[in-house]
Amino acid sequence: MVMDIVTCCIVIAAAVFYMRKGFAIAVIGIMQWFVCIVVGLLCCGKLKDLLVDKTSLDETLKAFFARRLENSVTDTASYQSMPKLFDDWMKDATVYLSNTTSEGITSIILSVGCFLAIVIAIRIICWLFARLVSKKHHKGVVGFVDGLAGMVLGVFLGFFFVLIIFAVMVPVLGLLPQGISSFINHSFDTSYFSGQIYDHNFILELVKNLFS
């Protein structure tokens, strides 16, 4: 009975939380980072190629970093103390090293910048969509439906949280003192439905199949 109460409390708490939050914002909050990462990784290369082909941003960055790197090398005491005999060789080596390094730095900056730009764009789109359909910004029928859908989502997520907690309890029970583990096992045995959930946890079934 105790575990049944715990299970119900988790599910009810999740249902109330997501009902108040609203379905649109809840789903967007759950999915937007996943979408941002996936789309960002898939599209940042194409956006970077587009910037390189259509703009001179990469050339500007490479020239800037090459100039800074070249100056940082030529201003060192070791460089200036070299005999004049090695001036041409040192200049060629410095230019080559600066250009090569600046290309790598520019490539990294463009890749990271494109990824962040895609993430920000998706976040803005999600924010605008949430304002259109969420109960936080709409009352009446739209708000009611969004809240009701959020509650249903909360029930499913609450049940999923219960499955995760019960799955984690499997190894933890073996580490607890005998009295506590016996009490928890007895609570599962005397429960109406929590024991069935614990014994037939599909998350554990998936883990079992992965290693079988």
Side-chain angles (χ1 to χ4, degrees):
M1 186 67 178
V2 174
M3 296 309 300
D4 291 337
I5 295 174
V6 173
T7 300
C8 290
C9 287
I10 294 173
V11 174
I12 291 172
V16 172
F17 175 79
Y18 284 104
M19 180 181 68
R20 292 173 62 86
K21 195 177 185 68
F23 180 81
I25 291 180
V27 171
I28 291 171
I30 294 170
M31 295 299 297
Q32 65 179 334
W33 284 114
F34 174 77
V35 173
C36 285
I37 293 172
V38 172
V39 175
L41 292 175
L42 290 176
C43 298
C44 68
K46 295 180 180 179
L47 180 58
K48 175 186 170 183
D49 292 339
L50 185 65
L51 287 175
V52 171
D53 293 338
K54 301 298 182 181
T55 70
S56 59
L57 180 61
D58 61 317
E59 297 296 334
T60 302
L61 289 174
K62 280 192 288 187
F64 171 77
F65 289 119
R67 186 168 57 252
R68 294 294 297 270
L69 289 168
E70 188 174 346
N71 290 337
S72 67
V73 172
T74 56
D75 289 341
T76 60
S78 58
Y79 181 92
Q80 295 176 358
S81 64
M82 294 294 293
K84 299 296 183 182
L85 177 66
F86 297 107
D87 273 357
D88 292 339
W89 180 80
M90 290 293 294
K91 287 180 181 178
D92 292 341
T94 301
V95 170
Y96 174 78
L97 179 63
S98 300
N99 289 337
T100 303
T101 306
S102 65
E103 287 180 5
I105 295 174
T106 299
S107 179
I108 293 173
I109 289 177
L110 286 178
S111 297
V112 174
C114 290
F115 178 82
L116 292 177
I118 293 171
V119 169
I120 292 171
I122 294 175
R123 293 272 292 174
I124 292 173
I125 293 172
C126 291
W127 178 76
L128 291 173
F129 179 75
R131 287 189 64 87
L132 290 174
V133 300
S134 73
K135 68 189 293 286
K136 182 178 180 180
H137 304 286
H138 295 279
K139 305 300 180 182
V141 176
V142 174
F144 173 77
V145 172
D146 184 61
L148 182 62
M151 183 182 68
V152 174
L153 175 65
V155 171
F156 282 103
L157 290 177
F159 181 69
F160 183 69
F161 296 153
V162 168
L163 292 176
I164 294 176
I165 293 171
F166 284 2
V168 173
M169 286 179 67
V170 173
V172 171
L173 283 177
L175 302 175
L176 294 175
Q178 182 65 32
I180 298 176
S181 61
S182 298
F183 172 76
I184 295 175
N185 285 325
H186 177 71
S187 298
F188 277 122
D189 292 336
T190 57
S191 67
Y192 289 104
F193 51 84
S194 296
Q196 292 294 319
I197 297 174
Y198 181 79
D199 290 334
H200 301 89
N201 192 333
F202 82 89
I203 292 179
L204 293 177
E205 187 68 26
L206 290 175
V207 174
K208 176 185 174 183
N209 291 335
L210 286 175
F211 293 96
S212 60

